[in-house]
């Protein structure tokens, strides 16, 4: 794939902002800020929010590497994606996107989690859980840093230079009509919508030029303890969850629904290995029979709302994720 072909994908003024640079080996992805007010604006584009795992794809000739946003290599977990990217006509690129698994027509993090925990390539291929990769951005392409190029033009580049046959998907967007797309997303059971300023550059770290509009509340939290099972329950009863605030772990409540029996047994096994005598929470619940654990495991939950006391209302467990740094887990606050 030549530089001339890529340049032809967009107008000259936009391409003039690209800079000739060496291929990066790592970088911090651009992150969206939670926003609680749906809006429509012709200066913004709106994409479906996918319920998967963010991956950064680095291809340099025959070498392809997949990294989570916190720098963990995932080649063995998704070997078919390595084949997918190695077969692309473009030889050198960095892509930003999300690996997903479907439950019917809806992306399912719970289903993806079953696959993401398999680190043997042969076992992963034979798991019976197919995965797809949705590309939504690129910071670098064929020798050029294209982060300064406006988003709409960056999307035009990745749309035209990649082969979207098979399980590679281009993340389509809708112009201006954010409220309508969010309403559609909620009707169809999607997680929500990502709103992005159409002329924005790609900037590493959290930004208000990318906004998350969710159909229901949900975020990552840390496990700080668990309770024993009761009755016919196996493994454990509930997880005690928290988030960091000014360096201290705040208690956010407990979650006891959304688990399969296999997941309850797995969590009981791994958490028992990290038990500690004292609570990791600065404001622990005053209860007996709690097993405290070192807060190093991140889980994703959905819930209806935060209570006035700062606790989760009606939470449900979606799955554990290892693509987030535990020390970065904070309560998400809506952007203004």
């Amino acid at each position: 794939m030549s530089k001339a072909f890529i340049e032809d994908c967009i107008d000259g003024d936009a391409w003039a902002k690209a800079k000739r640079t060496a291929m990066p080996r790592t970088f911090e992805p651009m992150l969206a800020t939670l926003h609680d007010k749906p809006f429509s604006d012709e200066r913004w584009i709106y994409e479906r929010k996918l319920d998967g795992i963010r991956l950064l794809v680095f291809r340099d000739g025959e070498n392809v590497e997949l990294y989570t946003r916190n720098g963990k290599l995932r080649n063995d977990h998704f070997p078919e994606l390595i084949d997918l990217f190695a077969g692309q006509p473009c030889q050198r690129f960095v892509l930003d996107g999300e690996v997903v698994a479907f439950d019917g027509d809806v992306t399912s993090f719970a289903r993806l989690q079953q696959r993401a925990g398999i680190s043997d390539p042969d076992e992963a291929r034979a798991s019976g859980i197919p995965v797809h990769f949705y590309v939504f951005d690129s910071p670098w392409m064929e020798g050029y840093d294209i982060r300064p190029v406006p988003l709409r033009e960056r999307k035009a580049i990745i749309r035209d230079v990649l082969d979207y046959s098979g399980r590679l998907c281009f993340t389509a967007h809708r112009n201006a009509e954010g409220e309508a797309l969010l309403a559609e997303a909620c009707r169809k059971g999607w997680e929500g919508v990502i709103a992005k300023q159409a002329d924005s550059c790609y900037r590493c770290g959290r930004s208000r030029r990318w906004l998350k509009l969710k159909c229901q509340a949900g975020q990552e939290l840390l496990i700080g303890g668990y309770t024993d099972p009761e009755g016919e329950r196996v493994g454990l009863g509930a997880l005690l969850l928290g988030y960091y605030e000014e360096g201290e772990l705040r208690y956010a409540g407990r979650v006891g629904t959304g688990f399969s029996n296999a997941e309850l047994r797995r969590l009981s096994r791994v958490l028992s290995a990290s038990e500690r005598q004292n609570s990791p929470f600065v404001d622990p619940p005053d209860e007996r029979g709690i097993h405290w654990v070192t807060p190093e495991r991140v889980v994703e939950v959905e819930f209806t709302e935060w209570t006035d006391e700062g606790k989760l209302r009606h939470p449900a467990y979606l799955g554990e994720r290892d693509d987030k740094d535990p020390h970065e887990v904070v309560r998400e606050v809506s952007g203004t």
Side-chain angles (χ1 to χ4, degrees):
M1 185 70 63
S2 68
K3 172 254 185 185
F5 180 89
I6 297 173
E7 183 178 357
D8 287 343
C9 297
I10 59 176
D11 66 51
D13 290 339
W15 179 255
K17 298 178 180 180
K19 301 177 181 178
R20 184 78 179 178
T21 62
M23 183 178 185
R25 295 302 172 184
T26 183
F27 71 95
E28 182 183 6
M30 189 168 179
L31 304 174
T33 299
L34 182 64
H35 193 77
D36 60 0
K37 295 181 180 180
F39 66 97
S40 297
D41 191 318
E42 63 182 10
R43 297 169 298 179
W44 291 68
I45 64 173
Y46 301 86
E47 299 173 348
R48 174 180 177 177
K49 188 178 188 304
L50 299 164
D51 195 9
I53 295 175
R54 186 94 170 260
L55 287 181
L56 304 173
V57 182
F58 296 77
R59 182 189 180 185
D60 188 2
E62 296 182 358
N63 184 58
V64 177
E65 295 180 337
L66 311 176
Y67 287 96
T68 64
R69 52 176 277 191
N70 60 340
K72 294 184 177 180
L73 186 66
R74 284 294 175 263
N75 285 29
D76 291 343
H77 297 71
F78 305 110
E80 67 270 57
L81 295 186
I82 301 297
D83 300 338
L84 191 66
F85 292 116
Q88 287 295 314
C90 188
Q91 295 290 310
R92 304 177 70 229
F93 53 70
V94 180
L95 302 177
D96 192 352
E98 197 147 344
V99 57
V100 302
F102 281 89
D103 184 1
D105 295 330
V106 180
T107 57
S108 169
F109 181 74
R111 183 163 168 78
L112 178 64
Q113 186 201 28
Q114 300 173 41
R115 173 62 191 275
I118 303 174
S119 57
D120 178 84
D122 292 334
E123 186 180 348
R125 290 182 188 273
S127 66
I129 303 176
V131 295
H132 296 72
F133 192 87
Y134 279 79
V135 182
F136 52 70
D137 213 327
S138 172
W140 190 91
M141 185 74 65
E142 290 288 9
Y144 285 84
D145 180 353
I146 60 173
R147 287 178 295 178
V149 174
L151 171 61
R152 197 184 294 279
E153 281 70 30
R154 293 199 308 274
K155 292 200 70 173
I157 292 173
I158 60 175
R159 181 194 62 211
D160 292 344
V161 305
L162 298 175
D163 176 8
Y164 290 99
S165 60
R167 294 178 182 169
L168 184 65
C169 307
F170 175 73
T171 304
H173 63 266
R174 185 174 297 183
N175 296 314
E177 300 176 355
E179 291 162 297
L181 183 59
L182 183 62
E184 178 184 338
C186 297
R187 285 197 310 271
K188 292 182 174 179
W190 301 351
E191 189 178 359
V193 167
I194 299 292
K196 300 178 178 180
Q197 284 188 1
D199 65 350
S200 60
C201 301
Y202 190 106
R203 298 187 183 279
C204 299
R206 190 76 59 185
S207 172
R208 289 185 176 176
R209 294 191 172 193
W210 287 12
L211 300 175
K212 289 184 286 188
L213 305 171
K214 292 186 175 183
C215 291
Q216 56 188 351
Q219 71 161 86
E220 297 84 34
L221 292 164
L222 284 164
I223 304 174
Y226 67 96
T227 62
D228 289 324
E230 297 180 357
E232 297 182 357
R233 179 91 161 191
V234 300
L236 54 82
L239 299 176
L240 278 66
L241 306 175
Y243 58 88
Y244 280 110
E245 182 180 85
E246 297 182 350
E248 297 179 321
L249 190 67
R250 293 281 177 186
Y251 178 59
R254 61 172 63 198
V255 59
T257 62
F259 304 92
S260 66
N261 285 342
E263 183 67 355
L264 287 170
R265 292 189 181 96
R266 186 191 71 83
L267 284 168
S268 176
R269 183 176 66 254
V270 298
L271 291 176
S272 64
S274 63
E275 286 194 25
R276 50 190 277 175
Q277 293 297 315
N278 59 317
S279 169
F281 301 109
V282 67
D283 53 347
D286 186 15
E287 302 175 25
R288 294 181 179 274
I290 295 176
H291 300 266
W292 304 115
V293 300
T294 301
E296 57 190 6
R297 308 189 82 93
V298 181
V299 299
E300 184 169 344
V301 299
E302 62 180 10
F303 53 97
T304 55
E305 63 181 350
W306 290 98
T307 68
D308 293 340
E309 293 76 30
K311 303 298 186 292
L312 305 170
R313 189 184 301 278
H314 306 308
Y317 176 86
L318 296 179
E320 186 177 3
R321 50 192 323 155
D322 65 356
D323 59 327
K324 304 293 177 72
D325 184 338
H327 294 94
E328 294 179 356
V329 175
V330 297
R331 177 173 168 176
E332 288 190 338
V333 178
S334 298
T336 57

